[in-house]
Amino acid sequence: MGARFEELAWRETPIGEISLRRRRDPSLDVEVYEVKLDDEFLMSSLFPVAEIELARLGLAPLTGESLDVVVGGLGLGYTARTALEDPRVRSLLVVEAIEDVIDWHRRDLLPFAAGLAADPRTRFVLADFFAAVATGAGFDPESPGRRFHAVLLDVDHSPRQVLHPSHAAFYTVDGLRRLAALLHRDGVFALWSNDPPDQAFQRTLTEVFPTSVAHVVRFPNPLQGREAANTVYVARR
């Protein structure tokens, strides 16, 4: 790429201006893909480790074959693409509220997510993940109330740092109980968070799920020359 910076897509949405851009980082000699919401960075291809681990840690406790999985929040596609690498996954339903994000993948704008949209197991659903839980209708418009073996969620920064006030109710006991009702017995709910493990949220999880673990995922931050960390919560029904 000749240019140092290129905006690949932009759109005004109900939660702000979302954009996908590509830039060349001369210090690292790599192309970087970034998603911004207004002036805030949501995700970067420089730091995919925790998004990848969300899928791996979320699917690891499950036994058996023919798994039906939901990914809430498509983003750069790392979680969904990693889920498809598990041969046990029979179907992958990706719930995304912004049509343009789905379009990025259908147009193959993200080379590291190649194959995600074309995989016959993948189906994109344009919907608000949190509204789907709150209403009880579930994630599959073709099968209301359908249950899944795993739900992997990466939308908000953390249970306390939400992108929209309407999301906050999901992280309560009542909200998580509605989510648990959409899981098979022994099904898994896994959540990415940018914050360290939150003891209050962990207590909320234990009121709904018999088992839950907060995994700290560490990875190098080459921009700051230090180690960074995210949290992946894994709860089992």
Side-chain angles (χ1 to χ4, degrees), residues 102-140:
I102 296 174
D103 185 57
W104 300 345
H105 290 269
R106 287 181 170 153
R107 292 165 57 198
D108 289 327
L109 294 181
L110 303 163
F112 43 82
L116 170 59
D119 194 298
R121 294 172 292 171
T122 302
R123 180 152 61 96
F124 295 122
V125 174
L126 180 63
D128 182 328
F129 176 96
F130 302 96
V133 174
T135 62
F139 307 114
D140 189 347

Side-chain angles (χ1 to χ4, degrees), residues 13 20 37 39 41 48 51 92 114 129 138 211:
T13 78
L20 171 67
L37 183 65
D39 293 326
F41 285 95
E51 287 85 352
L92 181 70
F129 176 96
T211 62

Side-chain angles (χ1 to χ4, degrees), residues 20 23 26 31 46 56 60-62 64 67 75 91 94 105 110 167 185 195 197:
L20 171 67
R23 64 178 175 86
E31 286 188 354
L46 278 178
R56 292 177 177 168
L62 295 170
L67 301 179
S91 71
V94 182
H105 290 269
L110 303 163
H167 299 180
R185 186 177 182 85
D195 290 348

Side-chain angles (χ1 to χ4, degrees), residues 160-172:
R160 294 182 183 271
Q161 302 295 325
V162 296
L163 295 182
H164 192 274
S166 64
H167 299 180
F170 173 80
Y171 300 100
T172 65

Side-chain angles (χ1 to χ4, degrees), residues 72-234:
L74 176 55
L76 295 176
Y78 284 106
T79 300
R81 191 71 190 85
T82 303
L84 288 175
E85 293 173 2
D86 190 320
R88 300 174 300 159
V89 173
R90 173 176 58 187
S91 71
L92 181 70
L93 199 67
V94 182
V95 180
E96 171 57 53
I98 301 173
E99 187 171 10
D100 291 72
V101 177
I102 296 174
D103 185 57
W104 300 345
H105 290 269
R106 287 181 170 153
R107 292 165 57 198
D108 289 327
L109 294 181
L110 303 163
F112 43 82
L116 170 59
D119 194 298
R121 294 172 292 171
T122 302
R123 180 152 61 96
F124 295 122
V125 174
L126 180 63
D128 182 328
F129 176 96
F130 302 96
V133 174
T135 62
F139 307 114
D140 189 347
E142 298 178 5
S143 181
R146 178 185 172 193
R147 293 190 176 191
F148 294 84
H149 298 96
V151 173
L152 315 175
L153 178 60
D154 178 4
V155 173
D156 294 313
H157 293 305
S158 74
R160 294 182 183 271
Q161 302 295 325
V162 296
L163 295 182
H164 192 274
S166 64
H167 299 180
F170 173 80
Y171 300 100
T172 65
V173 170
D174 288 343
L176 293 174
R177 281 178 177 158
R178 284 189 283 269
L179 182 280
L182 298 171
L183 291 171
H184 288 298
R185 186 177 182 85
D186 295 328
V188 168
F189 167 57
L191 171 70
W192 174 90
S193 172
N194 192 48
D195 290 348
D198 184 323
Q199 292 185 0
F201 180 64
Q202 288 178 270
R203 288 193 293 269
T204 301
L205 283 172
T206 60
E207 291 191 48
V208 179
F209 297 93
T211 62
S212 63
V213 180
H215 299 271
V216 176
V217 179
R218 304 184 187 279
F219 53 92
N221 183 329
L223 298 181
Q224 298 180 350
R226 62 175 179 84
E227 185 180 70
N230 293 159
T231 303
V232 173
Y233 299 93
V234 178

